[in-house]
Amino acid sequence: MFFLSKPSKVLTLKWVSLFTLGILVMLTSFKSHAHSPKLELFDSSGAQAGPAIILKSDANMTLTGLINHVVVKQTYQNQNPFAVNARYVFPLPDESAVHAMTMRIGERVIKGQIDKKVAAEKKYAEAKQAGKQAALVRQQRANMFITNVANIAPGEQVIIELEYQEIIDYSSGTFTVRFPGTITPRYHVTQGEIDINKESQKPTNSLPHGWLSPVYSTQKNDDKPSSQFNLNLDIDVGLELVDINSKFHNVNIQNTAFGQYSIELNEQNALNRDFVLEFKPLQKEQAQAAFFTEQFENGERYGLAMLMPPADNFIATQRLARETVFVVDTSGSMHGQSMEQAKNALFYALSLLDSNDSFNIIGFDNVVTLMSDKPLVASGFNLRRAERFIYGLQADGGTEIQGALDAVLDGSQFDGFVRQVIFLTDGSVSNEDALFKSIQAKLGDSRLFTVGIGSAPNSFFMRRAADVGKGSFTFIGSTSEVQPKMQQLFDKLAHPAITNLALSDENGNSLDFWPSPLPDLYFNEPIMVAIKLNNASNVILNGQTAQGPISINLNTQAGSNAKGIAKLWARQKIKSLLLYNSQNAVKDEVQQLALTHQLLSPFTAFIAIEQTQINPIAEQTANATNAVPQGMAMRLPQTDGQSKVHIILGILLLSGFVLVRRFK
C-alpha cells in the first residue's frame, strides 16, 4: 500500500476532464426539457400551485344616481382530461354589498342561497364528496372573496354570477368608479412567542385562520393573458357629462342618449391593474347635497345622503399651522413603480409646505427609519435634508405597519396646530384588524390620511384605516397622477374641517345611520351616509367649524327614489360594527343583518348545489389565477425551464473550482 503525497498534474487534468464530461451529460439530459418556457402557478409565498383552470370574467355595471349595480360573471372552463374542483381567490371593491349568486351549468340555473358560513361550508363539502356539482362563495376580507366550484367535468363550463351594489365616490366635482383587477400579495407578519418551558423565542406567523392566498401566473415569454376579462358600464345620471376619462385602460365611449353613456373596455391585458373611470357633470356649480330614498319590503324607509359643506365657509378661512408627518412604505411589495410614485408624491408634498409648517418623514419595512427624532421647521435647509433622505429610500423587507404606527401615534393632544399623518403604502398586509384597533387606541388628536400607491393597492386596509383615523383615502395609480392628487389632498388639508358631526330628525331624535361615528368633513370631500329614516320627514346634520356651529337640513320627502339603499345601509352598518368592535362581540348582530338583507359577510356565504351526480368524482383542485400587479417586481420562481440548467451549471462549476484548487 502506498500514498500520493501530492496529486500529479496528469491526475488533476483527469479530474477536470471527468468533471467537464459530467457537465455536458447534465446539459444534454436537460436539453429536451428546457427549450420552451411554460406557464407555472405560484401563490404569494412563491410555493408552486396545482393545475390551472381557464377563467373568463365579465363585469357589467349600471350606474344610476350615486349607486352602481354590478353583475360579475365568472366562467370556469375545465380543459383537463379529468374532473376538477375549481378555486378562485379574487378582489371586489371594498365597499361592495354582494347580495346574490347564481350557478349555471349548460341550461340548468341554480340560484344560490345565503346561509350561515359554517352551515354553507358543510353543505358544500358534503355535495363535493357525493360527486354533485356545487358552488360556494365566501368573503375572506371586505375586498377579497373566494369562489369554490365542485366537480367540473372534463371540457365542461360552469358559470358563477355575483351581484353587488356600491356607492360611487364623489370628490371635487368628479365621480369615480373603480373595479379591482388583481390583488397585491399580502405580507403576513411573523411575531416572536416565548416558550416558557424552553425559555426561548420561536417565530410564529400571524396568518389569519383559514386564510387562502391568491394564486399568480408568471409567463415571461408570452404576453397572452392567462385569463380573459370584459367590462361594460352604462351610465344614466340624466346630466350631460364632460371629461369621461379611463385612467389606466383603453375604452370605447358612446353617448347613446341625453345623459346616457355606454363605456366598453377595449384592452387585452386588463387584469394586472385596477380599472378607474372618472367623469364630471357639465354644470360648473358644486353639488351641496343629494338625497335618495327607498321603501324596503317590510315597510321600513331608508335614505342615502351625500353631504358636502358649502364652499363659501372655507374661502376666507385663514390657513392653519400644521405638523405633517409623512410615513412611507419601503417594503418589498413597493419595489418598482409603486416606490417611484411614493417618492414623487413625497417630493411634491414637500414643495407645498411653508414656513408655518413643521414636518417629519418616516420610512418603514420590517424596520422603522426616522429622518429626525422630532418635527422640523419647513425651512430650505430642512427641506433639502428631506430630499436627500427620500433619495435614499429603497424598497425591501416586510410590511410591518405596526412599528410605523407606534412611531407616529401615541394618543397625544395638540394645541395651536393641526397634526396630520399622511401614510403612503400599497397596504400589502393581512393583519388589518389588529392595525385598526391600534389606530383607534392611539390616534389621540392626530388625523390619519392614507394614500394608496400602485396599480392594485389594498384599498380595504387604507379606506378603513382612514375611517378610524378620521381622515380620508386617496388613490394614486400612476406617476402622472401624483401631482394633481397630492395637490388636491393638500388643498383639502389646508382648510378646517367640520367636526363633531351628528344626524337627527326634525325633533332632535337620533337616527340609525352608518358609517357611525361620522368622520370629519373636509372641503370638496363629501360624506356618503346611509340612514334608516323611520318616520322622519327631515334629516338635520349638525357640526362645528372654525367659524362656529353649522346645520344642514335635508327634506326626506323630496328625495329621489332608488333601489338597493337598504342593502347599502346594512353593508355600512356591518362595516362599522366590525371596525369598532371585536368580531365575537358583534357576530350575532352582523350575521342577522346579513341574513335579513341577503349579504355576504364574515359569517355568511352563498351556496348553490346541483343534485345531479357526475362520474368520476373530482380528486384535484384547479386554481384560477390572478395577474401579477403591473409594475410590481414580484419575487416568484422562474418559469423558464433553462433556469434550472443555469442553477445546476453554476453549482457544478463552483464545485469544480473548489476541487481544482484543492488538488493544486
Side-chain angles (χ1 to χ4, degrees):
M1 181 180 292
F2 63 94
F3 298 90
L4 289 174
S5 60
K6 184 176 181 180
S8 67
K9 292 184 178 181
V10 175
L11 184 58
T12 302
L13 183 60
K14 186 180 294 186
W15 274 102
V16 174
S17 300
L18 290 172
F19 177 75
T20 305
L21 180 62
I23 291 177
L24 293 174
V25 171
M26 294 296 291
L27 287 174
T28 303
S29 66
F30 276 103
K31 185 176 180 181
S32 60
H33 301 284
H35 67 277
S36 60
K38 63 177 181 178
L39 174 67
E40 294 181 349
L41 308 179
F42 302 91
D43 65 19
S44 56
S45 66
Q48 190 162 353
I53 193 165
I54 301 301
L55 172 67
K56 180 178 179 293
S57 299
D58 299 270
N60 294 295
M61 304 179 173
T62 305
L63 196 155
T64 53
L66 298 176
I67 301 176
N68 189 18
H69 302 262
V70 186
V71 178
V72 176
K73 183 168 69 173
Q74 301 170 347
T75 302
Y76 296 85
Q77 174 75 50
N78 180 16
Q79 293 188 338
N80 296 290
F82 47 83
V84 297
N85 304 308
R87 183 175 68 202
Y88 183 33
V89 182
F90 63 97
L92 288 179
D94 56 290
E95 297 290 331
S96 58
V98 182
H99 61 86
M101 183 266 273
T102 303
M103 178 171 69
R104 300 176 184 271
I105 308 169
E107 299 298 321
R108 306 188 300 280
V109 179
I110 302 95
K111 183 174 177 58
Q113 302 297 319
I114 196 76
D115 204 345
K116 295 179 181 179
K117 185 177 180 180
V118 174
E121 289 174 338
K122 182 179 179 181
K123 292 176 183 177
Y124 174 80
E126 291 172 348
K128 182 173 73 170
Q129 188 66 31
K132 298 177 180 178
Q133 293 179 305
L136 176 72
V137 179
R138 294 164 289 165
Q139 174 187 304
Q140 181 158 280
R141 283 289 189 273
N143 65 339
M144 190 183 298
F145 298 79
I146 304 166
T147 296
N148 290 88
V149 185
N151 295 311
I152 307 177
E156 188 173 43
Q157 279 190 354
V158 175
I159 299 174
I160 306 299
E161 286 187 359
L162 301 174
E163 296 183 40
Y164 72 83
Q165 296 177 150
E166 63 175 343
I167 303 169
I168 64 171
D169 289 334
Y170 178 82
S171 179
S172 301
T174 301
F175 292 95
T176 304
V177 176
R178 180 177 167 209
F179 186 85
T182 187
I183 302 171
T184 295
R186 304 296 192 251
Y187 174 75
H188 307 300
V189 180
T190 300
Q191 299 171 330
E193 283 189 358
I194 296 177
D195 189 328
I196 298 176
N197 297 326
K198 297 183 179 180
E199 297 184 354
S200 63
Q201 269 197 334
K202 59 180 180 179
T204 61
N205 198 303
S206 66
L207 196 65
H209 176 70
W211 180 274
L212 290 176
S213 292
V215 172
Y216 298 89
S217 61
T218 61
Q219 193 167 9
K220 292 183 178 297
N221 294 355
D222 189 351
D223 290 332
K224 184 179 178 180
S226 58
S227 298
Q228 299 178 48
F229 177 63
N230 297 308
L231 184 144
N232 293 279
L233 171 60
D234 293 322
I235 301 176
D236 185 5
V237 291
L239 297 171
E240 186 176 353
L241 303 180
V242 294
D243 296 333
I244 302 176
N245 183 17
S246 174
K247 304 293 290 185
F248 314 119
H249 293 82
N250 298 320
V251 296
N252 297 325
I253 302 174
Q254 292 185 337
N255 185 189
T256 55
F258 179 79
Q260 297 180 4
Y261 299 83
S262 178
I263 290 89
E264 180 183 13
L265 181 66
N266 182 22
E267 192 167 331
Q268 283 287 316
N269 295 299
L271 279 175
N272 62 350
R273 59 204 185 277
D274 291 357
F275 174 84
V276 178
L277 185 83
E278 294 182 350
F279 58 91
K280 296 180 180 181
L282 181 61
Q283 286 87 338
K284 295 182 181 179
E285 64 272 12
Q286 293 283 352
Q288 297 303 318
F291 200 79
F292 300 87
T293 60
E294 180 189 31
Q295 189 88 18
F296 195 49
E297 55 194 32
N298 62 2
E300 294 176 338
R301 290 177 66 234
Y302 294 85
L304 176 65
M306 181 180 74
L307 307 171
M308 179 181 288
D312 56 5
N313 280 9
F314 299 89
I315 292 174
T317 301
Q318 184 178 0
R319 191 178 184 277
L320 297 178
R322 294 177 295 167
E323 177 190 319
T324 305
V325 183
F326 301 98
V327 185
V328 58
D329 183 350
T330 60
S331 64
S333 63
M334 291 283 289
H335 187 75
Q337 289 184 14
S338 295
M339 197 66 222
E340 181 183 352
Q341 290 164 218
K343 287 186 175 183
N344 287 341
L346 285 172
F347 286 132
Y348 187 71
L350 291 177
S351 72
L352 300 176
L353 298 175
D354 65 26
S355 57
N356 292 322
D357 298 328
S358 60
F359 76 100
N360 202 353
I361 302 175
I362 296 175
F364 76 92
D365 40 48
N366 50 304
V367 176
V368 176
T369 305
L370 283 72
M371 186 191 77
S372 172
D373 57 2
K374 61 181 179 180
L376 300 173
V377 175
S379 64
F381 175 81
N382 288 330
L383 291 174
R384 288 191 294 273
R385 175 183 171 185
E387 290 173 354
R388 290 193 297 271
F389 181 83
I390 295 169
Y391 277 120
L393 295 175
Q394 300 295 327
D396 197 12
T399 314
E400 300 273 5
I401 290 181
Q402 184 62 65
L405 291 175
D406 292 341
V408 293
L409 300 178
D410 60 5
S412 298
Q413 302 294 315
F414 304 94
D415 296 324
F417 64 93
V418 178
R419 188 173 191 265
Q420 298 165 338
V421 179
I422 300 178
F423 216 103
L424 298 96
T425 178
D426 60 4
S428 177
V429 292
S430 63
N431 62 330
E432 293 101 330
D433 290 342
L435 298 174
F436 299 150
K437 290 179 174 60
S438 177
I439 295 169
Q440 185 179 3
K442 300 179 179 181
L443 183 67
D445 204 24
S446 298
R447 292 294 182 263
L448 178 65
F449 299 86
T450 56
V451 179
I453 297 291
S455 56
N458 179 6
S459 58
F460 163 64
F461 166 71
M462 286 172 289
R463 195 183 298 274
R464 279 156 177 70
D467 287 343
V468 178
K470 297 183 179 180
S472 63
F473 164 53
T474 301
F475 170 49
I476 297 178
S478 71
T479 52
S480 64
E481 288 195 302
V482 167
Q483 182 166 331
K485 293 283 188 177
M486 293 304 289
Q487 177 71 60
Q488 188 180 95
L489 176 61
F490 266 73
D491 285 348
K492 179 181 70 176
L493 299 188
H495 295 87
I498 301 180
T499 59
N500 302 322
L501 291 169
L503 286 175
S504 63
D505 64 14
E506 63 273 18
N507 299 317
N509 300 316
S510 61
L511 294 170
D512 192 358
F513 60 87
W514 305 95
S516 179
L518 288 173
D520 292 345
L521 189 57
Y522 283 85
F523 175 53
N524 270 353
E525 190 78 24
I527 293 174
M528 306 288 190
V529 55
I531 312 164
K532 191 173 183 179
L533 293 172
N534 298 324
N535 296 318
S537 58
N538 288 277
V539 172
I540 313 297
L541 174 72
N542 293 304
Q544 186 71 31
T545 73
Q547 291 76 36
I550 187 173
S551 181
I552 299 174
N553 191 340
L554 296 174
N555 184 354
T556 66
Q557 306 302 320
S560 303
N561 292 326
K563 293 181 179 180
I565 296 177
K567 294 184 185 300
L568 292 170
W569 171 86
R571 175 70 181 81
Q572 288 293 323
K573 183 168 184 176
I574 289 172
K575 166 188 168 180
S576 293
L577 287 172
L578 293 171
L579 194 55
Y580 296 103
N581 304 276
S582 68
Q583 282 201 2
N584 290 335
V586 296
K587 178 180 178 180
D588 292 342
E589 186 175 3
V590 168
Q591 187 171 263
Q592 189 55 52
L593 270 169
L595 292 173
T596 300
H597 293 271
Q598 301 285 289
L599 297 176
L600 274 186
S601 76
F603 312 115
T604 53
F606 278 108
I607 179 71
I609 299 175
E610 163 62 37
Q611 297 304 318
T612 304
Q613 182 173 335
I614 72 165
N615 189 30
I617 299 173
E619 296 181 355
Q620 293 194 57
T621 296
N623 296 279
T625 64
N626 287 268
V628 175
Q630 185 182 57
M632 181 178 180
M634 192 171 178
R635 295 178 174 87
L636 291 181
Q638 299 282 339
T639 60
D640 191 338
Q642 297 183 46
S643 62
K644 298 176 181 177
V645 178
H646 298 154
I647 292 171
I648 293 174
L649 177 61
I651 292 172
L652 290 174
L653 287 173
L654 182 60
S655 301
F657 175 75
V658 172
L659 194 61
V660 171
R661 293 271 296 180
R662 181 180 177 185
F663 285 108
K664 276 187 176 181

